[in-house]
Amino acid sequence: MISLKSPREILLMKESGRIVHMVFTKVKAALKPGMTTLDVDKIAKDVIISEGGIPTFKNYNGFKGNVCVSVNDTLIHGIPSKKEILKDGDIVTVDVGVTKNGYVADAARTFLVGNAKENAQTLVKVTEDSFWYAVNLAAKPGNHVGDISHAVHEYASRHGYTVTTEYTGHGVGRRLHEDPAVPNAGQKGSGPLLKVGMTLAIEPMLNEGLVDLVVLKDGWTVKTKDGKLASHYENTIVITENGYEVLTMGEE
Ligand code: MG
């Protein structure tokens, strides 16, 4: 069932989203070669706790981290580890969920560590741009979820990237994962109708190479099968009368 949020609920999600975004600001400022992915997790945890939030991902289906930290060919669900050291030229995705006052916001950014190669920079930029292209084109009342999905896929394909369909965006609010699913590919006009008050985590996941993925024995880490780079960008949005508003933004 898809729940529509009241203005009061949207304000609470915005407060969680403010904290999510503060994590990105702090991580981006601190990120440098030699840090571990566990160091990134600690920065995130400290921000979330000091702002009165709860790290939503911690213990979610047994996940060990406070946030997901996914390096290079890891697309999503990287488990923070003191053994994983960031190198110059890596790309690292930080996926953050924050719960405060019972409401969740969810977003992800892929950052460049030091001097990333041009192919890495382009992948990261196109992933982010595919989000904005899709929401600006399709996120408004009267359209369907499939219009957003189609736009993400169309933009990514046009730039030569494959798009993951095994994992999707989702409704978000009282829970981390609510209806509806928001795939990163689909038919125009298909899927649920977008309505004012619908809150969605829209999250393009793009691969430089083939679309095939593998899940490691830890049960979480999702990598590209061919070892090529993968990138992820996500925001929580609400559908408004005029289109949409992003609930997980701030100064970047
Ligand atoms: Mg999400």
Side-chain angles (χ1 to χ4, degrees):
M1 199 193 78
I2 299 171
S3 72
L4 303 179
K5 273 68 174 184
S6 68
R8 178 189 154 272
E9 291 179 294
I10 301 298
L11 278 179
L12 293 174
M13 288 179 67
K14 223 184 234 182
E15 168 60 10
S16 300
R18 180 188 67 79
I19 301 169
V20 170
H21 194 272
M22 189 181 282
V23 170
F24 297 142
T25 305
K26 297 272 185 190
V27 167
K28 192 176 181 184
L31 206 57
K32 57 173 191 271
M35 281 176 78
T36 69
T37 55
L38 191 66
D39 293 333
V40 174
D41 185 82
K42 180 161 189 330
I43 293 169
K45 180 189 175 186
D46 289 349
V47 171
I48 295 168
I49 301 295
S50 70
E51 293 297 318
I54 299 164
T56 312
F57 301 167
K58 178 86 179 173
N59 298 324
Y60 186 88
N61 292 338
F63 188 76
K64 297 275 184 256
N66 294 285
V67 296
C68 301
V69 186
S70 305
V71 181
N72 292 338
D73 60 336
T74 300
L75 173 64
I76 49 170
H77 301 168
I79 305 169
S81 165
K82 65 181 178 198
K83 291 183 188 157
E84 191 167 32
I85 299 165
L86 299 174
K87 304 180 304 298
D88 187 58
D90 282 347
I91 63 171
V92 57
T93 302
V94 183
D95 192 344
V96 181
V98 170
T99 308
K100 186 170 174 181
N101 302 310
Y103 284 85
V104 182
D106 180 13
R109 297 286 184 274
T110 301
F111 298 108
L112 309 171
V113 182
N115 304 296
K117 286 187 182 156
E118 197 179 331
N119 65 311
Q121 293 186 33
T122 307
L123 171 68
V124 169
K125 180 170 192 315
V126 171
T127 306
E128 176 172 348
D129 290 350
S130 71
F131 169 89
W132 294 108
Y133 175 77
V135 292
N136 285 327
L137 189 71
K140 55 187 165 203
N143 274 357
H144 291 77
V145 167
D147 294 306
I148 297 174
S149 307
H150 182 270
V152 168
H153 186 236
E154 188 255 308
Y155 191 88
S157 305
R158 202 196 313 155
H159 289 82
Y161 297 115
T162 57
V163 170
T164 296
T165 51
E166 288 172 63
Y167 300 90
T168 70
H170 49 91
V172 57
R174 281 201 165 276
R175 288 177 294 117
L176 174 61
H177 293 120
E178 299 183 349
D179 288 337
V182 185
N184 288 315
Q187 297 293 321
K188 279 186 192 172
S190 71
L193 194 63
L194 299 176
K195 294 179 182 169
V196 174
M198 231 184 233
T199 44
L200 304 169
I202 297 175
E203 44 183 322
M205 300 170 217
L206 272 58
N207 306 313
E208 195 182 26
L210 299 175
V211 75
D212 308 70
L213 302 171
V214 288
V215 181
L216 298 191
K217 281 185 185 145
D218 61 29
W220 284 102
T221 312
V222 178
K223 285 182 176 280
T224 58
K225 202 170 178 182
D226 61 11
K228 293 200 174 178
L229 295 177
S231 176
H232 178 202
Y233 183 90
E234 174 184 22
N235 281 307
T236 296
I237 69 161
V238 57
I239 301 295
T240 63
E241 298 282 353
N242 300 320
Y244 70 92
E245 184 184 355
V246 177
L247 304 179
T248 45
M249 285 298 286
E251 303 277 320
E252 298 219 12

